[in-house]
Amino acid sequence: NGSKKVLDALEKHMGEAGLDVVLEFRPEGHGDGVRVSHSGCQGFCQMGPLVTILPENILYTKVTADDVPEIVAETLVGGKVVERLLYVEPRTKEKCLGPDQIPFYQRQTRTVLKECGFIDPDDIREYVAHGGYAAARKAFADMDAKGVCDVVSQSGLRGRGGGGFPTGRKWEAARVQANPKKYVICNGDEGDPGAFMDRSLMEGNPHCVIEGMMIAARGIGADEGYIYVRAEYPLAVKRMRKAVADAEAAGYLGDNLFGSGQSFRLEVMEGAGAFVCGEETALIASIEGLRGMPSPKPPFPAQQGLWRKPTIINNVETLAQIPRIVSEGAAAYRALGTETSPGTKTFALTGHVSNTGLIEVPFGATLREVVLNIGGGVTDDRGFIDEKGFKAVQIGGPSGGCLTPDLLDLPLDFDSLRSVGAMVGSGGLVVMNQKTCMVSVARFFMEFTQRESCGKCVLCREGTKQLLALLDDVIEGRGTAETLALLETLGHAVQVGSLCGLGKTAPNPVLSTLKHFRKDYEEHVFEKR
Ligand code: SF4
């Protein structure tokens, strides 16, 4: 988006203005110098590139390199605000000085994203200065494996990768295995269209993920781990590799960690682009050098995983929650969220909404809060429209379902969403306005899953192809009432007859749009629109 040009221009013009420019983090402070720091994602994607000026907490939006001389002269030297670069709230038309005044930030609870966008992800010293690796020290120096698993179980943490399985239970299942060789894997193979939460975390705060993995290793007794990142995320791969090397050099990875006698080493692996490799058993096969195809469970990876050794696989966001749980305790973690879905969840908010970006809210926040308040309301080609323009939200990517306007006050948590036939999934939220054709939305996701089917099961391999062909029939005016009935029957058959989550959930967008937006289908079929 041009952020690098803005960064270079800041360095240049600040130097020319005679300011003492500090380019590196100094743990002892920066004296009279003005530090220019690059950060990871601040979440407010629609408004980037962003420049935050601290400690005044001024946020400039959509900054270009041409704006920089004015920022330096007016704000950094003159102490005045450049009004034209401030964010304007679409409903009230008021200018907001900084994150404290911007509803997009004000209404969020950023815990896992707290440092994301504020610390330099390439500088381990900055992570340590913000309390980083203190939780790992506590886990290795003061706790045993059972103690670590217990605190994670008591926190009620559930996996953020889609299924919501209790993390503590998964760790405990691996901990009790007698095999002395165990592995920890971080699943960074985020591939849902519209999802970029894990990418932002790996790019914005890679050490937090590493620290979560170290604590997981302590919990199950592992001495080796892999960070599996999709190759389409080259910056995440680069930052994770650098973070691993820096953590090794600083003694956070290696032998006898914190005097515990336990070793832990990490390797970053790139996925080759298959969506199905986000499934645990396919991911393990991929690391082993085999074709990434799911296999039946049991045995579960916690019993027999990588190289047939006990293995836990956790999603990036799940692992990034761990340091806070160990530092602050289970009760503090449970203070946010709901009884059965404690803590917070990051969502990638995209589509027809004023503020697209990466957000974090406690579980239990409503769809209204997320779409209308944090997201700033629904938009069309002409800009902001009111809530009457809201048609649906696709939650959970290609495996998820649609939420309709009557569900605006539904709490977003694992169980409430399941009760209406949707799922948290990995956290993609695609907002759609009244002009959106839901048959085309279903087709978009079906094309994606059909292309990504690994081909092992007949119903997933052939069924998704037939579902796609039926959707084409509807859209291209060849559909009949029988086509709609076939879509439903085949959709249910693919759900039942597929081995892994990809196939089992592939028909969800079709079935959910058929249920909630049948009129869109009928318009194609009976009115031949
Ligand atoms: Fe492969 Fe689909 Fe079967 Fe999963 S359900 S194993 S993706 S064919």
Side-chain angles (χ1 to χ4, degrees):
N1 270 355
S3 297
K4 180 74 173 70
K5 287 183 188 155
V6 172
L7 183 73
D8 293 343
L10 273 167
E11 286 176 23
K12 177 171 173 275
H13 289 280
M14 284 167 65
E16 285 173 7
L19 296 169
D20 176 11
V21 182
V22 182
L23 296 177
E24 280 237 313
F25 175 73
R26 294 178 190 157
E28 70 282 7
H30 304 107
D32 292 332
V34 183
R35 183 174 172 226
V36 187
S37 169
H38 80 285
S39 73
C41 172
Q42 294 183 12
F44 211 6
C45 304
Q46 183 124 359
M47 293 294 145
L50 306 172
V51 173
T52 309
I53 295 170
L54 299 169
E56 292 83 356
N57 215 11
I58 300 169
L59 180 71
Y60 289 141
T61 56
K62 297 194 174 177
V63 179
T64 67
D66 293 341
D67 298 323
V68 169
E70 197 178 348
I71 294 175
V72 173
E74 292 293 313
T75 309
L76 297 184
V77 178
K80 287 185 281 208
V81 173
V82 182
E83 298 263 336
R84 67 179 181 83
L85 294 175
L86 296 178
Y87 171 74
V88 180
E89 220 286 311
R91 267 176 291 204
T92 59
K93 306 285 181 232
E94 274 177 20
K95 284 187 177 157
C96 306
L97 186 62
D100 297 350
Q101 297 178 6
I102 300 174
F104 176 81
Y105 286 113
Q106 266 180 332
R107 289 175 168 271
Q108 292 186 50
T109 306
R110 291 168 87 89
T111 58
V112 77
L113 295 178
K114 192 168 169 211
E115 271 89 34
C116 215
F118 290 95
I119 61 168
D120 181 347
D122 278 335
D123 196 334
I124 188 172
R125 293 170 305 168
E126 199 162 346
Y127 181 67
V128 173
H130 279 80
Y133 290 111
R137 183 184 301 276
K138 182 177 175 185
F140 279 88
D142 306 334
M143 297 168 81
D144 61 8
K146 179 151 188 342
V148 170
C149 287
D150 284 350
V151 73
V152 174
S153 293
Q154 287 153 12
S155 75
L157 176 69
R158 294 172 70 170
R160 303 296 199 252
F165 189 80
T167 306
R169 212 191 300 164
K170 193 186 256 189
W171 289 18
E172 185 62 19
R175 185 187 74 80
V176 297
Q177 301 299 315
N179 200 318
K181 182 75 189 175
K182 298 175 186 175
Y183 294 96
V184 172
I185 298 176
C186 168
N187 184 349
D189 196 47
E190 178 180 59
D192 288 13
F196 48 88
M197 298 79 54
D198 295 347
R199 170 187 174 169
S200 299
L201 265 170
M202 289 187 285
E203 290 179 0
N205 196 0
H207 287 286
C208 185
V209 181
I210 292 174
E211 190 174 5
M213 292 185 76
M214 289 170 67
I215 297 168
R218 181 63 170 163
I220 68 162
D223 67 348
E224 233 181 300
Y226 288 88
I227 303 169
Y228 188 92
V229 188
R230 66 193 297 237
E232 293 93 331
Y233 284 176
L235 185 60
V237 171
K238 190 171 144 220
R239 292 217 168 129
M240 289 304 318
R241 286 217 164 109
K242 178 162 188 338
V244 168
D246 289 348
E248 265 171 20
Y252 294 118
L253 292 172
D255 294 329
N256 191 21
L257 295 178
F258 305 105
S260 64
Q262 186 176 340
S263 309
F264 186 56
R265 288 193 164 71
L266 273 176
E267 191 176 324
V268 178
M269 284 203 67
E270 289 175 62
F275 179 64
V276 76
C277 284
E279 197 278 342
E280 291 187 334
T281 56
L283 192 153
I284 286 172
S286 173
I287 294 179
E288 289 177 348
L290 305 170
R291 183 172 167 183
M293 278 177 137
S295 44
K297 294 187 267 191
F300 293 96
Q303 303 160 315
Q304 273 183 36
L306 187 63
W307 316 115
R308 305 192 74 72
K309 304 285 188 286
T311 302
I312 54 158
I313 305 178
N314 284 128
N315 151 276
V316 171
E317 188 184 339
T318 313
L319 289 163
Q321 305 262 0
I322 300 290
R324 202 175 132 244
I325 293 172
V326 170
S327 294
E328 297 175 13
Y333 186 77
R334 279 188 167 277
L336 290 172
T338 68
E339 177 64 26
T340 54
S341 304
T344 59
K345 176 77 191 91
T346 61
F347 289 101
L349 186 60
T350 57
H352 299 137
V353 66
S354 293
N355 303 323
T356 60
L358 179 70
I359 66 162
E360 182 177 355
V361 289
F363 274 119
T366 61
L367 196 57
R368 180 184 302 282
E369 175 69 1
V370 168
V371 175
L372 301 182
N373 296 333
I374 296 172
V378 184
T379 58
D380 67 6
D381 315 338
R382 291 160 295 141
F384 171 74
I385 49 178
D386 70 12
E387 87 179 67
K388 288 198 201 84
F390 173 61
K391 182 164 186 176
V393 167
Q394 170 74 20
I395 185 165
S399 353
C402 280
L403 299 177
T404 47
D406 56 308
L407 297 174
L408 268 173
D409 293 310
L410 181 83
L412 296 176
D413 62 64
F414 288 110
D415 306 308
S416 306
L417 284 165
R418 193 161 295 153
S419 71
V420 296
M423 60 192 286
V424 176
S426 55
L429 279 176
V430 187
V431 181
M432 288 163 278
N433 66 22
Q434 286 292 352
K435 292 185 181 159
T436 311
C437 168
M438 300 309 287
V439 190
S440 301
V441 171
R443 190 197 181 282
F444 171 82
F445 285 113
M446 186 48 66
E447 188 181 25
F448 176 83
T449 39
Q450 188 269 317
R451 198 176 53 230
E452 295 293 341
S453 166
C454 81
K456 188 168 186 168
C457 322
V458 175
L459 269 157
C460 174
R461 185 182 67 230
E462 300 301 328
T464 53
K465 237 182 237 173
Q466 294 305 323
L467 283 168
L468 187 61
L470 290 168
L471 288 170
D472 279 339
D473 284 347
V474 174
I475 290 170
E476 290 163 18
R478 296 185 297 273
T480 62
E482 198 192 356
T483 317
L484 303 190
L486 259 175
L487 273 169
E488 265 175 337
T489 311
L490 187 53
H492 290 301
V494 172
Q495 279 181 329
V496 174
S498 295
L499 171 65
C500 83
L502 187 150
K504 282 187 189 304
T505 57
N508 287 5
V510 177
L511 296 174
S512 141
T513 49
L514 264 171
K515 181 172 167 199
H516 297 297
F517 300 98
R518 200 171 184 93
K519 202 164 146 282
D520 283 24
Y521 284 83
E522 288 173 350
E523 274 180 24
H524 280 288
V525 170
F526 302 116
E527 298 167 27
K528 304 289 182 199
R529 77 175 177 188

